[in-house]
Amino acid sequence: MVVETHLRVRYSETDRMGIVYHGNYIVWFEIGRTEYCRAAGMPYRTMEDAGVLILVTSVACTFRRSARYDDAMTVRARMTELSARGCAFGYEILGSDGTLYADGETRHV
């Protein structure tokens, strides 16, 4: 399953040159992961209330293009691995025309 979340680059996410600060891509990964879990029927709140925490153990992101203020973006998230000891998610950040801006992965225990 792939879950798409749409967002628009906010001014506060950009640097003085109007380019998205690199750390915000990781925040967008989290938004995608949260929406993936919700779509899969296990919202974060439900998991945490049940005592299930998925702690981030690693993050990887490859930056391919610079997003700018007011760009419409899509975050695609999918679970790429699930085991008794953890899981992994893959992400793509796309522009409104489908251009890849960044991709990456988070691993969790």
Side-chain angles (χ1 to χ4, degrees), residues 7-19:
L7 54 88
R8 188 167 294 279
V9 176
R10 293 170 291 267
Y11 186 79
S12 64
E13 295 171 319
T14 63
D15 61 20
R16 194 165 183 180
M17 296 179 291
I19 296 172

Side-chain angles (χ1 to χ4, degrees), residues 85-107:
R85 295 200 40 116
C87 61
F89 290 87
Y91 310 92
E92 295 175 318
I93 308 293
L94 307 167
S96 59
D97 64 354
T99 300
L100 182 64
Y101 280 70
D103 56 341
E105 175 185 74
T106 56
R107 301 189 72 71

